[in-house]
Amino acid sequence: MYGIIMAMKILGIETSCDETAAAVVENGTVILSNVVVSQIDIFAEYGGVIPEVAARSHLEAIMPVINKALDDASCTWEDIDAIAVTHAPGLLGSLLIGTLTARTLAILHNKPLYAVHHLKSHVYANWLRGDSFAPEFPLLALVISGGHTQILYMRGHNQFEIVGTTHDDAVGECFDKIAKILGLPYPGGPSISKAALKGNPNKYRLPHPKVEGLDFSFSGLKTAVLRAVQKEVNVPISYPSHKLKELLSAEQVNDFAASFQKTAINILCEKLAAAKEEYPDIQSVVIAGGVSANKALRDALPDAFFPNVSLSGDNGAMVAAACFFEIESGVKPTDPYALNIYPRVSIEN
Ligand code: KG4
Ligand code: ZN
């Protein structure tokens, strides 16, 4: 609806976890700039995110990141048509820094402000393709991140129905926890997939959880890996899990990484296949969230849409893209004086 008049430029801001990110996107599909400052180096030392440290780092980085996003896009505030910010779900302190900054900027520069759900943003990373092959509706979206594992049915833009979800851990969380057991660095996903390249995926047999319908469970798989490691190095189950890595050889680590990755991918692919059977009208399958960067998963699903690897993780461009399609489907701006954060709210709300 804006296309005929002019291109709509949206500034997207994302601070829900440990990436401080901002981007300028035109018409929900063309990236003019995309700046991501990751706190991975800080949290690699601790083996995980510390919420208070994340919030403080966002506070330090947010304005330089936004200014660089505007500069890289050769934009001034005059050129920006709207501001989009992640307001849910995520870490409370992290969400607060992004939303308070966006609220202030919206008031200061008199721009409409839109609040975007983080999982919607991940899904819309699939529209930032730089080619003309956009996913078609109705579609199934498999959202796989550090905090979520869900299958969504989308009848059209901005219409999300959860048709499958995890009963416990998210798949990304499972990668992270197993990496910790194996002594691989944080974040676990990339380091497991790297180790898996050198390992034998058939070395250790790991169970598939028995979960009804399109739902998932990953905590049992994590425990199964833990027990298999304990058995492999001949220690009782009471042995401290943080010390197991000292007893594993590099070969064993690689084999566990490969065996776990293969099992996790099989579980995701099986559920996706079941979902396709249940929803035979779908035209596309899109994969979204940090775990969508996984190369072996990409190889296992050659017909699915995946975001560009650089857009699999958290970024501001996907927030701006989601916002554009929300506006197109009639969503109105939010009150910059009242915008709230919702650390745990579902995508269906
Ligand atoms: O979407 P994301 O960046 O943040 C959340 O919204 O949670 O997802 C982060 C998750 C982490 O658990 C990380 O280990 C996982 O995505 N991840 C991967 C890969 N790259 C990141 N998991 C498997 N393979 C990867 N290559
Ligand atoms: Zn995310």
Side-chain angles (χ1 to χ4, degrees):
M1 77 194 195
Y2 292 90
I4 306 158
I5 310 164
M6 59 176 191
M8 190 186 203
K9 291 189 180 70
I10 300 178
L11 171 72
I13 299 172
E14 155 62 38
T15 64
S16 69
C17 189
D18 59 349
E19 261 96 23
T20 315
V24 179
V25 172
E26 200 168 84
N27 291 344
T29 52
V30 180
I31 297 177
L32 301 184
S33 65
N34 189 29
V35 182
V36 181
V37 170
S38 174
Q39 301 172 15
I40 280 176
D41 291 348
I42 304 171
F43 298 123
E45 237 176 86
Y46 302 105
V49 178
I50 298 167
E52 290 78 6
V53 178
R56 178 155 289 276
S57 304
H58 284 309
L59 188 57
E60 284 168 12
I62 187 100
M63 280 318 297
V65 164
I66 291 171
N67 287 332
K68 182 159 175 22
L70 292 172
D71 277 357
D72 287 359
S74 303
C75 284
T76 65
W77 280 105
E78 291 251 301
D79 304 313
I80 298 298
D81 297 297
I83 300 175
V85 65
T86 312
H87 74 135
L91 300 173
L92 187 142
S94 294
L95 289 169
L96 269 178
I97 303 300
T99 50
L100 286 172
T101 305
R103 288 170 61 175
T104 310
L105 292 171
I107 294 164
L108 195 65
H109 298 287
N110 197 21
K111 304 289 174 187
L113 176 65
Y114 293 85
V116 180
H117 191 282
H118 186 60
L119 299 190
K120 286 188 188 178
S121 303
H122 272 304
V123 171
Y124 275 103
N126 281 285
W127 271 259
L128 293 163
R129 299 179 48 78
D131 61 29
S132 53
F133 293 104
E136 282 174 35
F137 298 108
L139 62 78
L140 285 170
L142 174 67
V143 180
I144 38 180
S145 70
H148 293 85
T149 303
Q150 293 188 335
I151 301 179
L152 309 170
Y153 179 81
M154 286 182 78
R155 202 172 300 283
H157 279 303
N158 201 31
Q159 296 177 53
F160 295 90
E161 185 191 336
I162 301 170
V163 297
T165 193
T166 180
H167 291 188
D168 39 59
D169 290 354
V171 62
E173 188 180 356
C174 194
F175 270 87
D176 295 336
K177 285 178 174 170
I178 288 171
K180 220 170 186 175
I181 294 170
L182 299 178
L184 294 168
Y186 173 86
S191 47
I192 287 209
S193 63
K194 198 168 154 210
L197 290 174
K198 293 173 272 174
N200 173 3
N202 302 314
K203 179 73 185 287
Y204 304 104
R205 284 200 161 275
L206 299 166
H208 282 213
K210 293 188 177 49
V211 190
E212 291 285 302
L214 303 179
D215 284 349
F216 299 91
S217 165
F218 281 99
S219 73
L221 179 56
K222 178 200 65 196
T223 308
V225 173
L226 178 62
R227 296 285 174 260
V229 172
Q230 289 163 335
K231 191 165 164 230
E232 183 74 9
V233 297
N234 283 315
V235 296
I237 58 170
S238 57
Y239 194 83
S241 60
H242 68 275
K243 289 190 161 184
L244 285 169
K245 58 179 184 256
E246 295 160 18
L247 307 175
L248 287 165
S249 70
E251 189 185 341
Q252 287 169 321
V253 168
N254 294 339
D255 289 344
F256 272 115
S259 302
F260 156 67
Q261 179 176 264
K262 182 186 154 195
T263 309
I265 289 175
N266 282 347
I267 293 167
L268 294 173
C269 291
E270 276 168 22
K271 289 290 177 174
L272 202 48
K276 279 157 88 173
E277 253 179 54
E278 207 163 305
Y279 296 90
D281 61 334
I282 59 142
Q283 302 299 309
S284 308
V285 170
V286 311
I287 317 295
V291 183
S292 73
N294 189 279
K295 170 82 169 62
L297 180 67
R298 287 174 180 250
D299 292 343
L301 295 168
D303 298 329
F305 282 87
F306 279 84
N308 187 308
V309 175
S310 65
L311 299 172
S312 280
D314 295 345
N315 64 83
M318 65 186 192
V319 182
C323 175
F324 177 81
F325 291 103
E326 282 195 4
I327 294 171
E328 286 242 301
S329 47
V331 172
K332 298 284 171 246
T334 187
D335 178 356
Y337 290 94
L339 168 62
N340 220 332
I341 58 159
Y342 299 93
R344 302 187 70 84
V345 76
S346 155
I347 195 171
E348 281 180 341
N349 285 19

